[in-house]
Amino acid sequence: MLDKIDMKKEAAWDNYAERMAHLEIRMGELQRRSRELGIPVMIVFEGFEASGKGTMINKMIQPLDPRGFRVYTMEKETEEDRMHPYFWRYFIKTPPKGRIHIFDRSWYQGVEKGVVSPEEVRQFERQFTDDGMVVIKFFLAITKKEQKKRLEALEKDSSTKWRVSESDWKKNKNYDKCLERCDAMLIQTDVSNAPWTVVEAMDKRYAICKIMTTVVNRLAEAVAEREDVLEKRPSVEAEGVEDLRNGVLQDIDLTKELSPEEYKKRKKDLQKRMGRLHNEMYLKRVPVILAFEGWDAGGKGGAIKRITQSIDPRGYEVVPIASPNDIEKAHHYLWRFWDKFPKDGHMAIFDRTWYGRVLVERVENFASEEEWKRAYSEINNMEAHLVKSGAIVLKFWMHIDKDEQKKRFQQRQDTPEKQWKITGEDWRNREKWEAYEKAVDEMVVRTSTKEAPWHIIEANSKLYARIKVLEIVVAALEERLGVK
């Protein structure tokens, strides 16, 4: 790709100023219209050292309303960044609907260093573009000779000397190898949903004109597509859930029980081991993610409480997940979970999870069929990345039958101190039991992976369920930490 670029291109147009004035006006118009239509925009700048990324970003943002964009400089990782999965520091900075976020360097640093693969990057970008985000990527290219000239000029100026590092000179010396690596990266990640625009950056006027023209064209295309969808959108009736039954839940033996005496004995042993393992995972910097889903009144809270009773509260967080608020709705649906994933050595316990996309959002028609079907692979990719980054991911479905749920609902309703646990929505959800059961079946089949398998917990007996969850968590930690 890069070997075919004509580096000698210049802005030799007589009407350059007129052309730029038109682009600036159009940029402002499209920013406002994108905000009105709720289109999120992510603009990425990569390129050779001293190719002018900062200068180009500064020129590009001049016609934009500063209240509607944000620029992130992502060159250096912080200690906090290094304690999270690689994509964490980028995901939490992705734009909500109607805003523009600009990245000076990006997740492509991970491709250069071999931390993530081109395929992982394609998956990372695809989840956003499938959700309606515009991703615009620029790679600024200059020759080896021009790079050397610019580095020398920066070094001579006392106010910019600090910007030139030993690494910059090393890359200039090994320019051909750097070009070869960058070329391979561009080719492997140049896809239709997020194509690369290589910018010949020898002439700064030509470069900014090409950048702004590209942004204007991409935004105009996105605005036109969104307006077309809105004008032609048909009225949608709530669809029924397709008749799909994988049978995952049908054959679960819910008669399993545990005597109170056996429960106390095993709980004491497991919690003692749990406390020791929690300290060990902190010392070895192993992050742990426990994800709990299940029927209403299925016992999630009770299981979580038995896990946390014997561990240091400074080393874990229980994350209760409710309906998304307005800020969360403005982002990609996974955004609010990325922000809660634990750093190395800590544990995050989710009471309800990202699987709401393929459960309640599917059944209640809060997500379109295209959106929830797409979510299976997005979730699998996310969990695989978490595991690759060193996390233990354990997922539990707390399973009870319909009669047991009714019994527990009635107990809650009849017990004053537990009435806060039962709502009219819980009773309404019971009416859609079969639809939810089908959704759970498909969820388990499509997202039980080698990296993050589902554990179905027979929970008609609360004592049995709590011990089984503890046993699974303890066993997983002992295996990873090498503790017997």
Side-chain angles (χ1 to χ4, degrees), residues 263-291:
Y263 168 74
K264 289 179 183 178
K265 178 182 176 182
R266 290 168 68 175
K267 185 182 80 154
K268 183 178 179 180
D269 173 62
L270 288 164
Q271 287 187 333
K272 183 178 179 180
R273 290 155 68 187
M274 187 74 215
R276 187 175 79 248
L277 290 164
H278 189 243
N279 291 331
E280 192 72 17
M281 63 172 257
Y282 178 79
L283 291 172
K284 292 186 177 179
R285 292 292 187 262
V286 176
V288 176
I289 298 168
L290 306 182

Side-chain angles (χ1 to χ4, degrees), residues 2 46 49-51 54 104 235-236 259 371:
L2 292 175
E46 293 286 353
E49 276 64 24
S51 58
D104 179 0
S235 58
V236 179
S259 69
E371 287 173 331

Side-chain angles (χ1 to χ4, degrees), residues 64-213:
L64 299 177
D65 182 342
R67 295 168 298 180
F69 72 83
R70 187 165 180 181
V71 178
Y72 293 99
T73 302
M74 305 300 295
E75 185 82 43
K76 295 180 180 178
E77 279 185 306
T78 66
E79 183 64 28
E80 182 76 7
D81 294 334
R82 285 190 286 272
M83 292 183 73
H84 283 89
Y86 178 75
F87 284 126
W88 174 81
R89 70 179 182 131
Y90 302 109
F91 208 117
I92 63 175
K93 294 178 176 65
T94 53
K97 294 174 182 177
R99 285 185 61 86
I100 299 173
H101 284 188
I102 302 158
F103 291 82
D104 179 0
R105 299 306 308 268
S106 68
W107 41 95
Y108 283 95
Q109 296 175 93
V111 179
E112 294 174 24
K113 297 173 183 176
V115 178
V116 291
S117 67
E119 173 61 22
E120 287 176 288
V121 166
R122 291 194 296 267
Q123 293 169 353
F124 179 72
E125 294 171 350
R126 169 65 72 178
Q127 65 188 324
F128 299 119
T129 57
D130 282 351
D131 200 46
M133 185 181 294
V134 178
V135 177
I136 305 172
K137 304 184 302 192
F138 295 109
F139 186 92
L140 275 58
I142 54 176
T143 63
K144 181 179 182 179
K145 182 178 179 181
E146 178 67 16
Q147 186 183 54
K148 182 180 180 181
K149 176 183 171 184
R150 294 187 185 184
L151 290 173
E152 288 174 342
L154 288 169
E155 272 196 333
K156 286 179 182 178
D157 189 330
S158 59
S159 65
T160 58
K161 185 177 181 179
W162 62 273
R163 291 169 54 186
V164 182
S165 67
E166 228 178 278
S167 174
D168 294 332
W169 283 115
K170 186 177 180 180
K171 288 179 179 178
N172 179 251
K173 183 179 179 181
N174 298 307
Y175 177 89
D176 291 339
K177 288 184 178 179
C178 289
L179 184 145
E180 187 177 332
R181 285 198 302 270
C182 289
D183 193 49
M185 178 189 76
L186 293 174
I187 291 171
Q188 292 170 329
T189 57
D190 184 45
V191 287
S192 59
N193 60 292
W196 279 104
T197 296
V198 178
V199 179
E200 304 86 340
M202 298 286 284
D203 181 87
K204 293 178 181 179
R205 294 203 311 168
Y206 178 87
I208 188 57
C209 192
K210 182 169 185 176
I211 287 168
M212 291 183 66
T213 299

